[in-house]
Amino acid sequence: MTQPSDDYDAAARVALFQRGRAVYDKWCAPAHDPIADHPGTAALAAKYGGEKPPALLDRDDLTAERIREVVRGGVSVMPFFRKTEISDADLEALIAFLTDKGPA
Amino acid sequence: MDAPLPPAVDRAAFEAALDAFAGVVGHEWVFRSHEDVALYRDAYSPAWGEAEELLPSAAIAPATVEEVQAIVRLANTHQVPLYPISTGKNLAYGGSAPAQSGTVVLDLKRMNRIIEVNEKQGYCLVEPGVSYYDLYAYLQENGIKLWIDVPDPGWGSVIGNALDKGSGYTTPQFRAHFDAHCGMEVVLADGEVLRTGTGGVPGSKTWQSFKMGLGPVIDGLFVHSNYGIVTKMGFWLMPEPEAYLEGIVDFQHFDDLIPLIDEWSYLENSRIISGYPDFQSPIFGTPGMSGMVDMLCDGPGQPDAEYLALMARGAEPEDYEPYALAHGIPFWRMRFVYYGPKRVIAEQWAYTQQRYRAAVPDVRFADGDSYDFPIDRDMAKQLKNAPLLGVPNMKTFSLGARAAWNPAEPSRGHAWTTLLLPHDGRELIKANRILNKALKDAGIFSGFTFNTPFNNWERVLKFVVIFQISQDPEENRKLREAMPKIFAIAAENGWAEYRTHTMFQDALRSTYAFNDHVVPRFHDRLKDALDPNGILAPGRYGIFPRHMRKEKGA
């Protein structure tokens, strides 16, 4: 598992974060970037009505469990992703990127 | 969901086949666990979780043509059928799930090389796993001044979309994605590799430049079919134009529909209009392509009491004209797009106005968006109508999603039917009358008082009916019953449909009934000759191998 911890190697963490960003850019950004008419952003704006930010990049409450659930289970019109698209290792990197907003 | 087995294959034989496949691609790329196989379900299935849902048994992901060949040979040995997918993003048409339950999905996503882009001659050669986003990024990063033509969602496969008769939004020769291809490489059902066109000549230098080759042209056999697995495909690409211009034409009267379409036929067939003709009706609130995202995000406008009264009494479309005139709301609106040198497209727009002014004296004109190229990538990301500029996006996924204006539960996806009408306003009026009634009778909400067409294909009008996939099985059952009825009613009126979800492909095939269904029977004869063991995608577009046709009682 790749949850950062105090003794986590800094270089590995940067590499993981960068891989996660690449996964986000390829698979999530087209729907979830902070642009109002992107479909994921628009749907989450409607869902949370201002209680939470609509763009994934602005969220600080995303958990590893929820990200796994949505990527592998889909939600509403968002389909799930196969492992030839987002591998298990890619998914862990994505989780690191979305739950840990950047190497310190 | 329990993963089914292929027909007439027992568990031990199936596991032995998967082990054999793993010998080719490695265990890592054979997906057989419940959790991994479930990712190959059709996320937009109109029978999600019900007995009728089409389900895969397993999936294999090869990385090379040689691996595909080896798998196909093993599939023959083990009598285990394969369902090839490129990227599996064919949502609304079956997604990554097979046309017959129990088939093993052959996932070509890992074959994702852009083999060649020739900027001067304007073509590319790609593998099935290459998405529109991938190809767009490659052109941008390498500073290649070529455009791609993208369908609504940009994450699909360039090859997969063409093989599924997909279309896009630039000029007619490019937006018909199969027509824009040039040269294929195909693994046949016996594992042999074939190249079409002049690719038949070893070392041919025109495989991506000349489509016909020698003898019968066979590329079309691999579209909507199960005769081979396409592993490479060439596409012609459009040079980036100097500029883009949009011209808006507003019509005040219901009857203007007839000259509107007649003049458009002339202008498009003469290539005066080079881009996508977007058709809207301001009075009925149909957004066309360019108003779709705003409507999905912001909702339809709020009608006043007078308009609501027209709706309440079930007024005919033409009855809205006095209201439209009194409120200055155009009845019809065309947005024409022109690509090319600025001086040329300004003249083309001027000529368009001249033709319409002569045909419909009180027509009105306005200039729409204009762009000079190149535009930078940040601007490209913000484009409202990115596909008109060959830029991939995902905005169509607001369809059925949660929206601030709509308190309804979001859908679980959608399905379409796209009926082909001749390029004639009278037929559009007739189709609205007949099909809107048929939908109403089937309990399906058709959306608009008058459905305006989408126009990706030149020379026909696409009459699109959108069905939302529900969380409620009862609603989905209504959809499943309505779809074949709509096909039949349309066919009675001479309106063919050419593409549908895997669940309805058999029903649609039955409408191709000329001379005792000679075309479907011809497809079956080809199947028997090319894939006697029936190991490629049984059931795709209603084509089954002989032994399964008997089971079906055909």
Side-chain angles (χ1 to χ4, degrees), chain A residues 5-23:
Chain A
S5 63
D6 291 339
D7 60 352
Y8 195 80
D9 175 75
R13 190 176 152 193
V14 170
L16 184 70
F17 184 87
Q18 285 171 343
R19 180 174 180 174
R21 180 199 294 266
V23 174

Side-chain angles (χ1 to χ4, degrees), chain A residues 26-27 29-31 33 35-40 42-48 71-73 75-85 88, chain B residues 35-36 38-41 43-44 48 61 87-89 91 96 107 109 133-134 155 293 381 384 394-395 397-399 402-404 410-411 413:
Chain A
K26 184 173 174 68
W27 292 107
D33 250 6
I35 297 174
D37 66 2
H38 275 29
L44 291 177
K47 181 172 182 177
Y48 295 124
V71 169
R72 296 293 186 223
V75 57
S76 173
V77 295
M78 173 187 151
F80 32 82
F81 292 83
R82 294 180 287 280
K83 293 185 177 179
T84 51
E85 299 171 318
D88 285 336
Chain B
E35 138 197 324
D36 289 353
L39 298 172
Y40 289 86
R41 292 172 75 179
Y44 288 10
W48 181 265
T87 59
K89 293 303 189 199
L91 294 163
S96 48
D107 179 350
K109 180 66 193 167
Y133 273 112
D134 296 336
W155 64 1
V293 174
K381 267 185 163 179
K384 198 116 224 122
M394 293 291 286
K395 291 179 185 175
F397 282 85
S398 284
L399 180 63
R402 202 184 290 273
S411 78

Side-chain angles (χ1 to χ4, degrees), chain B residues 112-379:
Chain B
N112 59 1
R113 289 182 308 149
I114 295 167
I115 296 160
E116 184 188 2
V117 176
N118 186 316
E119 183 171 5
K120 283 188 181 166
Q121 294 177 47
Y123 67 76
C124 66
L125 180 67
V126 297
E127 291 188 324
V130 174
S131 74
Y132 291 98
Y133 273 112
D134 296 336
L135 186 54
Y136 176 76
Y138 181 90
L139 298 177
Q140 294 288 310
E141 282 156 17
N142 291 283
I144 297 169
K145 302 271 183 226
L146 292 172
W147 277 19
I148 60 172
D149 185 284
V150 297
D152 289 302
W155 64 1
S157 160
V158 178
I159 288 183
N161 190 266
L163 295 181
D164 222 76
K165 304 189 183 171
S167 61
Y169 291 96
T170 64
T171 73
Q173 80 175 102
F174 297 105
R175 67 182 190 244
H177 291 165
F178 175 72
D179 291 354
H181 101 280
C182 189
M184 284 179 172
E185 179 186 86
V186 186
V187 174
L188 299 174
D190 60 4
E192 270 208 297
V193 178
L194 170 153
R195 289 185 174 178
T196 67
T198 67
V201 176
S204 165
K205 293 178 176 170
T206 53
W207 188 27
Q208 270 61 66
S209 310
F210 185 76
K211 297 184 182 189
M212 289 186 288
L214 184 75
V217 179
I218 58 177
D219 299 53
L221 292 181
F222 304 104
V223 177
H224 271 192
S225 79
N226 47 20
Y227 305 146
I229 300 167
V230 178
T231 48
K232 290 185 185 67
M233 211 163 154
F235 291 91
W236 288 355
L237 302 175
M238 168 172 156
E240 179 172 85
E242 181 185 306
Y244 167 113
L245 175 68
E246 181 191 50
I248 300 169
V249 190
D250 280 347
F251 301 84
Q252 315 304 315
H253 312 284
F254 177 78
D255 289 341
D256 291 344
L257 184 61
I258 310 302
L260 179 165
I261 292 180
D262 289 347
E263 289 304 309
W264 159 22
S265 296
Y266 174 84
L267 291 163
E268 185 166 42
N269 295 348
S270 309
R271 294 293 184 264
I272 306 295
I273 297 163
S274 47
Y276 178 81
D278 195 24
F279 194 137
Q280 302 172 312
S281 170
I283 190 64
F284 297 125
T286 65
M289 181 270 185
S290 57
M292 186 65 83
V293 174
D294 282 346
M295 195 200 74
L296 295 173
C297 291
D298 303 334
Q302 268 308 314
D304 64 14
E306 191 183 348
Y307 192 98
L308 286 171
L310 283 163
M311 289 175 75
R313 76 168 167 88
E316 295 297 321
E318 55 270 34
D319 297 341
Y320 286 75
E321 187 167 316
Y323 178 93
L325 289 169
H327 293 80
I329 301 170
F331 222 98
W332 316 113
R333 171 172 289 165
M334 290 303 299
R335 294 174 175 270
F336 292 119
V337 171
Y338 306 82
Y339 305 103
K342 284 182 100 158
R343 281 184 305 168
V344 173
I345 60 181
E347 280 303 316
Q348 288 172 325
W349 171 220
Y351 185 71
T352 302
Q353 295 178 54
Q354 179 189 319
R355 291 279 306 199
Y356 272 115
R357 203 175 284 116
V360 185
D362 65 351
V363 71
R364 294 173 190 167
F365 305 104
D367 291 338
D369 294 338
S370 61
Y371 300 95
D372 295 331
F373 299 107
I375 57 171
D376 68 46
R377 286 188 86 172
D378 282 340
M379 184 178 175

